Amino acid sequence: MSLRIIAALVAKDLSLFFRNKFFGLMTALGLVLYIVIYFVMPSSVNETLQVGLYAEVVPPAFEQVAREGLVFEEVESEDALVEAVTDGQYAVGVALPPDILDLFASRERPQITVYSTADTPAEVTDAVEVVIRELAYLQVGEPLAVDISAEVLGPDMLGQQIPIRDRMRPLLAVFLVLFEMIGLAGLITDEVQQGTGRALLVTPMRVPDLFAAKGLLGIGLAFGQAALFMAVIGGLNSQPFIILTALLLGAVLVTGFAFLIASLSRDMMSSLGWGMLILIIFIIPAFGILFPGTVSGWAKVIPSYYLADTVHQASAFAAGWSDVSLNLLVLLGVDLAVVVAGVAALGRRFR
């Protein structure tokens, strides 16, 4: 391969990319917009407690209690309680046994279940348990042992609560990477449609030079924007090399998919359609991080899961190489498969 030819192609493609007003404007404004979105999001968590309560018979002590920041709201069934806690309507849910009054009267230990959301800190559930024991004392007039079973709904984050804007970092970083997939696919599709690619192959340039230039352009734009975004918002303060490695592998991934999209597209509109479809699918795992419990384990079949999860674990929880090594290996394997498939499929269109 000729480095001089590759450099000339990259410069040409970069000029064509930003000459397209849509992609040029979205690239520049998108980066600024995501940084603004991050900084306007709340930087602290809301510790106000709304507690759902299910009980066939509510003890008088539970009906009379009124504490600042703690409100009991009754629901009609335990299933409804679980659903409300999962949906975030209540931070914590409490289910009382149907014979709780008889147990209190006989001084037996009632079994009370406390449900919490996946991102509820341990201090919150501990505080609710303390309140329950105090209410049991108020009900019977003497200390009474209470068996409390705590159940976490959704993925258990071990009580490590983080502000929502920090949970948005993987979503915004992945979106920046993915958008460049659409731009590169559109650029290649336009060249194929106009015959520019075939014309270039008449020159001393070879096919490997062409794909190397396209690959460097796609990887450079995707990785550069995502890395700059993470640096500005402080996302590289923890485990920067892991995050940069994940973003680089993510940039290679979307470049390979851009080749595949360009090989399937007949014009700019079809390229945009395929790109938007893949973008929507690929951001699903990042939404699962933003709203824990909303996305099931099936999201692991989406390659972007391993990118979003690595960025989240490294930036929010300082995960080390051993913690994310499987994610990075999966990303690397998918990268190789997608790039090879993309080059093979697109190569047929240039011939």
Side-chain angles (χ1 to χ4, degrees):
M1 290 188 294
S2 171
L3 294 180
R4 181 180 60 82
I5 294 176
I6 293 174
L9 285 174
V10 170
K12 184 265 298 180
D13 288 340
L14 196 61
S15 175
L16 289 175
F17 183 88
F18 284 101
R19 191 177 299 173
N20 185 307
K21 294 182 180 180
F22 174 75
F23 290 120
L25 186 63
M26 291 301 295
T27 297
L29 290 184
L31 179 60
V32 175
L33 180 61
Y34 298 149
I35 293 175
V36 171
I37 289 175
Y38 175 83
F39 282 111
V40 299
M41 293 297 294
S43 59
S44 60
V45 294
N46 185 0
E47 299 294 345
T48 301
L49 288 180
Q50 287 184 315
V51 180
L53 176 66
Y54 167 68
E56 293 185 7
V57 180
V58 181
F62 282 75
E63 293 179 337
Q64 298 171 6
V65 67
R67 293 168 177 263
E68 182 179 356
L70 177 61
V71 178
F72 282 108
E73 296 184 5
E74 293 185 49
V75 296
E76 65 275 9
S77 67
E78 189 165 355
D79 289 339
L81 177 66
V82 171
E83 183 178 355
V85 173
T86 302
D87 293 341
Q89 183 177 350
Y90 303 116
V92 178
V94 177
L96 304 180
D99 57 346
I100 189 169
L101 291 180
D102 295 334
L103 295 174
F104 279 152
S106 60
R107 300 300 190 268
E108 296 183 31
R109 302 170 62 170
Q111 178 72 39
I112 297 176
T113 303
V114 175
Y115 296 101
S116 61
T117 55
D119 57 350
T120 300
E123 307 86 65
V124 174
T125 53
D126 291 343
V128 172
E129 292 177 11
V130 170
V131 171
I132 292 173
R133 290 189 170 89
E134 290 183 358
L135 293 175
Y137 172 79
L138 292 175
Q139 182 65 38
V140 301
E142 62 182 59
L144 177 65
V146 177
D147 290 334
I148 297 179
S149 173
E151 295 191 18
V152 177
L153 305 175
D156 188 355
M157 299 304 293
L158 302 177
Q160 301 182 65
Q161 191 180 31
I162 58 175
I164 189 171
R165 73 175 189 176
D166 291 340
R167 289 206 301 269
M168 285 187 68
R169 283 189 295 215
L171 174 64
L172 298 176
V174 169
F175 198 91
L176 277 171
V177 171
L178 290 174
F179 185 79
E180 297 310 319
M181 171 185 66
I182 300 176
L184 179 61
L187 177 66
I188 297 176
T189 300
D190 188 56
E191 286 193 347
V192 172
Q193 187 179 15
Q194 296 181 5
T196 307
R198 293 187 181 90
L200 288 173
L201 293 177
V202 177
T203 68
M205 182 195 70
R206 297 179 298 171
V207 173
D209 296 331
L210 178 63
F211 282 108
K214 303 298 184 187
L216 287 175
L217 175 67
I219 294 171
L221 285 173
F223 174 75
Q225 282 196 88
L228 177 60
F229 169 75
M230 292 296 287
V232 171
I233 67 173
L236 298 180
N237 293 340
S238 173
Q239 303 290 13
F241 294 109
I242 293 179
I243 295 173
L244 291 176
T245 300
L247 293 177
L248 180 60
L249 291 175
V252 175
L253 176 70
V254 299
T255 300
F257 271 98
F259 289 168
L260 287 174
I261 293 171
S263 69
L264 296 172
S265 304
R266 298 303 174 187
D267 52 36
M268 183 65 72
M269 291 306 298
S270 63
S271 172
L272 184 61
W274 281 109
M276 289 302 299
L277 176 62
I278 295 176
L279 185 147
I280 291 172
I281 295 174
F282 274 26
I283 62 175
I284 290 175
F287 273 109
I289 293 173
L290 181 59
F291 304 106
T294 57
V295 177
S296 303
W298 63 264
K300 292 184 179 181
V301 303
I302 303 175
S304 60
Y305 168 85
Y306 303 95
L307 169 61
D309 186 62
T310 301
V311 173
H312 178 59
Q313 294 295 332
S315 62
F317 304 111
W321 289 99
S322 60
D323 300 313
V324 299
S325 58
L326 180 60
N327 285 355
L328 297 177
L329 286 175
V330 172
L331 266 179
L332 178 60
V334 175
D335 283 354
L336 293 175
V338 171
V339 168
V340 170
V343 169
L346 189 58
R348 289 196 296 269
R349 293 206 64 186
F350 279 115
R351 295 190 184 98

